[in-house]
Amino acid sequence: MKKRILVTGGGGFLGSHLCETLLEQGHEVLCVDNFYTGCKKNISHLLCNNEFEFMRHDVTFPLYVEVDEIYNLACPASPIHYQTDPVQTTKTSVHGAINMLGLAKRVKARILQASTSEVYGSPTEHPQTEAYWGNVNPIGPRACYDEGKRCAETLFFDYHRQHRLRIKVARIFNTYGPRMALNDGRVVSNFIIQALKNEPITVYGNGKQTRSFCFVDDLVRGLIRLMDTKDDFTGPVNLGNPGEFTVLELAERIIALTGSSSRIEHLPLPENDPTQRKPDIRLAREVMGWEPTVNLEQGLAVTIEYFRRMLGAM
């Protein structure tokens, strides 16, 4: 059935891929973004589609539209971006959630919150299950994002309990792929750009901290599958690739795939940087029949080619 779907943060890395996939499925898409971290170039190829509409808007202000579903993705997601204006980051998560929940309540729409693995903080449980409450520093430099997302989850579940709102909450683990911003400071894009330029690859700490990397196509498929689950399934549900790699392993793979002459350079570990991150995705498998299908080498090859083209065009 054709639906009118709102995607906040639709001009961003994840949002633009989600808009694209929803259009391919035959839906009408309203993309909302203020381009704080998103980019018009990410959605320029969609503007000629009659089923696609773009609105420049900041979700910290109310929005009055008629839609059937809402994907709330609006929020800077990389440390460089969310720490630049931490007060606005918190407002985007909290006020944005209130405004989108209010809209969903008014139009009786189903609504999905793009939460994050950062709600687990620096985990003392490994791998992380949805039942784990997390280990978060509420006053550290990452708290604007971590606690903002945690508060958004609280609001979603309170609206569900108090107003019977049809909610879905996805806890997204590290995701990568084409359309990542060149300057977003995340480990995959950082390493690829440094390798393509044959510059030193900067590894924070000893590089033994672990991460799990999910290709964007797998993640988008998971978000849509979560939205389409029955109303009695709210989540939260982990969406990520359970393959676990050290940061050093990632650097070495990228050097090999790019044929780079880069060497590895170690820098001090940032404050509150998690040492382990790996999703337990048993719930997504059992309820949604979802799991990633793109392995790290396949996803990195596509992403490297994207950045190679971007750097060549500069």
Side-chain angles (χ1 to χ4, degrees):
M1 184 179 69
K2 183 177 182 177
K3 292 173 283 193
R4 179 166 166 80
I5 301 174
L6 167 62
V7 179
T8 71
F13 159 53
L14 285 181
S16 63
H17 284 278
L18 177 60
C19 288
E20 194 172 59
T21 303
L22 292 171
L23 287 168
E24 288 170 357
Q25 293 183 348
H27 300 297
E28 184 180 346
V29 175
L30 171 59
C31 169
V32 167
D33 207 301
N34 67 351
F35 292 138
Y36 178 67
T37 58
C39 176
K40 189 173 286 186
K41 184 168 63 176
N42 287 341
I43 56 169
S44 60
H45 64 295
L46 304 177
L47 295 173
C48 60
N49 189 322
N50 291 331
E51 301 299 319
F52 181 77
E53 180 183 352
F54 171 71
M55 180 186 297
R56 191 156 188 163
H57 181 81
D58 186 332
V59 296
T60 61
F61 297 94
L63 182 63
Y64 302 98
V65 293
E66 301 298 321
V67 293
D68 302 305
E69 291 180 350
I70 302 167
Y71 288 84
N72 186 36
L73 273 62
C75 189
S78 72
I80 285 177
H81 291 149
Y82 68 63
Q83 291 177 19
T84 298
D85 190 345
V87 172
Q88 186 62 27
T89 296
T90 304
K91 284 182 177 180
T92 300
S93 286
V94 178
H95 292 184
I98 291 169
N99 288 329
M100 291 306 107
L101 287 162
L103 172 61
K105 179 186 171 188
R106 182 178 68 80
V107 301
K108 296 180 172 57
R110 185 179 285 188
I111 181 169
L112 182 148
Q113 167 68 4
S115 190
T116 172
S117 61
E118 297 298 331
V119 301
Y120 298 126
S122 185
T124 56
E125 177 183 296
H126 190 76
Q128 292 81 58
T129 68
E130 293 86 353
Y132 178 54
W133 289 358
N135 178 39
V136 176
N137 177 358
I139 59 171
R142 302 170 67 100
C144 58
Y145 185 68
D146 301 0
E147 296 288 30
K149 290 289 192 177
R150 285 163 69 93
C151 184
E153 286 196 14
T154 300
L155 286 162
F156 265 69
F157 278 91
D158 283 339
Y159 266 77
H160 172 65
R161 285 184 285 258
Q162 188 171 338
H163 302 297
R164 300 186 182 278
L165 216 61
R166 295 178 296 157
I167 68 162
K168 309 288 177 183
V169 175
R171 290 178 177 165
I172 298 171
F173 283 68
N174 281 16
T175 304
Y176 69 98
R179 298 187 202 141
M180 293 182 80
L182 290 170
N183 63 341
D184 75 357
R186 285 187 266 197
V187 64
V188 172
S189 53
N190 270 4
F191 285 3
I192 290 175
I193 291 168
Q194 289 168 342
L196 289 174
K197 292 182 175 180
N198 293 307
E199 296 175 350
I201 290 185
T202 50
V203 171
Y204 294 102
N206 59 16
K208 293 182 180 178
Q209 63 270 38
T210 66
R211 296 290 184 270
S212 299
F213 303 102
C214 186
F215 189 62
V216 62
D217 290 358
D218 282 331
L219 193 281
V220 166
R221 184 168 50 84
L223 291 175
I224 294 172
R225 194 163 292 189
L226 172 58
M227 180 67 93
D228 290 342
T229 55
K230 293 180 180 179
D231 288 345
D232 60 357
F233 182 69
T234 60
V237 60
N238 290 335
L239 293 181
N241 193 317
E244 186 179 13
F245 303 89
T246 68
V247 173
L248 269 179
E249 285 175 326
L250 176 69
E252 289 162 356
R253 289 187 186 214
I254 288 174
I255 289 171
L257 286 167
T258 56
S260 175
S261 60
S262 295
R263 58 182 179 80
I264 292 173
E265 179 180 277
H266 292 268
L267 296 176
L269 196 66
E271 186 178 352
N272 300 141
D273 193 54
T275 56
Q276 285 183 307
R277 190 56 61 74
K278 176 183 177 179
D280 183 317
I281 63 167
R282 282 178 295 178
L283 184 61
R285 284 194 181 110
E286 292 166 6
V287 176
M288 298 157 46
W290 176 88
E291 62 182 332
T293 60
V294 179
N295 66 37
L296 186 61
E297 283 76 13
Q298 292 169 328
L300 284 177
V302 174
T303 309
I304 287 166
E305 284 312 304
Y306 169 79
F307 279 112
R308 201 187 298 276
R309 290 195 305 272
M310 290 300 100
L311 292 173
M314 293 176 68

